[in-house]
Amino acid sequence: MQVQDQITHEMLEWQINARFRIQKLLHRMHILHSRNTEIPRHYKRTLTEEEKDEWYPINRMIGAAFSLWRSAFLTQASNDRKQIYEHTNEFISKVIAQNSIAFPDDYKMCELTVVYYNTNARYRLERLMDKNSSLVAKYESVRKIDELKHSDQSEHLSPKDLWEILYWALEDCFNDYETTYSR
């Protein structure tokens, strides 16, 4: 079965809404991140200053947001092991033979690639949590990521359900960061 055959109108609507949400969040990140020469009145300093406590978190969040943006296109994957196996072989063969992977490859081999993008977003959020443990205490969404870290629950979630968990944690982390950064 081709990926295109698996997408229902309901899934497509969810993907469009998910892409809208993550792009809105990316836009907010871009506004904050792009202010590196002129300090707006509600921010105390720029990100290009030597402030690693501010520099690394925003870059982790931007990386997570990119991964969630990309995976939102791929959530029609079914977690079927046979498909993942086939897509893995095809993916590796293409990398070896052509030294190239593009979005059409990600889309065609979504059973494999959605896992990569969701896992990358999760990893970046976990790094954020490791460096700022107060996020776990403050936000239920972040606690869910922490619970996933200490269990195999994520292996049983659909790509869409995992995306939702990751998105809400990322949004809460960014809201927290934005509040802290503007002080």
Side-chain angles (χ1 to χ4, degrees):
M1 180 183 296
Q2 293 295 315
V3 171
Q4 294 82 354
D5 298 336
Q6 297 174 20
I7 298 181
T8 63
H9 290 292
E10 180 181 58
M11 175 57 79
L12 192 55
E13 184 173 347
W14 180 88
Q15 288 179 339
I16 290 166
N17 289 329
R19 293 190 307 254
F20 173 75
R21 287 187 290 153
I22 196 64
Q23 284 182 311
K24 292 277 289 177
L25 186 57
L26 271 166
H27 184 244
R28 287 177 52 213
M29 289 177 183
H30 178 66
I31 289 168
L32 189 147
H33 193 268
S34 65
R35 306 216 194 263
N36 61 22
T37 54
E38 190 177 311
I39 302 173
R41 64 186 158 87
H42 58 284
Y43 294 132
K44 298 267 191 234
R45 55 198 169 278
T46 67
L47 282 171
T48 55
E49 293 176 23
E50 292 294 320
E51 295 286 342
K52 72 177 181 178
D53 291 343
E54 295 166 354
W55 175 257
Y56 294 114
I58 188 64
N59 284 293
R60 286 183 184 110
M61 288 183 284
I62 289 170
F66 169 77
S67 289
L68 290 177
W69 170 75
R70 182 55 66 92
S71 75
F73 289 89
L74 309 170
T75 53
Q76 69 275 7
S78 67
N79 287 341
D80 178 73
R81 284 186 178 205
K82 184 177 180 201
Q83 282 289 96
I84 294 169
Y85 176 80
E86 289 171 6
H87 288 177
T88 302
N89 282 336
E90 187 175 351
F91 192 89
I92 293 169
S93 295
K94 179 150 186 166
V95 168
I96 293 167
Q98 298 175 17
N99 198 35
S100 174
I101 292 293
F103 177 73
D105 302 309
D106 279 348
Y107 190 77
K108 181 180 176 198
M109 297 177 260
C110 68
E111 297 291 341
L112 170 68
T113 57
V114 73
V115 173
Y116 169 80
Y117 289 112
N118 279 344
T119 301
N120 186 53
R122 181 177 155 189
Y123 166 76
R124 290 168 183 273
L125 288 168
E126 287 173 356
R127 288 283 294 156
L128 215 59
M129 293 162 32
D130 289 346
K131 301 294 182 182
N132 184 354
S133 59
S134 72
L135 292 169
V136 177
K138 285 184 191 177
Y139 302 103
E140 176 63 30
S141 62
V142 178
R143 277 193 294 282
K144 287 183 181 178
I145 303 294
D146 194 49
E147 289 169 12
L148 291 176
K149 187 177 179 182
H150 301 291
S151 74
D152 64 350
Q153 275 181 297
S154 65
E155 295 173 15
H156 306 291
L157 293 170
S158 72
K160 181 180 140 206
D161 290 342
L162 181 56
W163 191 97
E164 287 288 347
I165 291 168
L166 296 167
Y167 172 80
W168 291 116
L170 177 60
E171 184 174 72
D172 283 341
C173 289
F174 182 71
N175 289 340
D176 186 84
Y177 178 87
E178 194 173 40
T179 301
T180 302
Y181 185 69
S182 63
R183 279 193 248 149

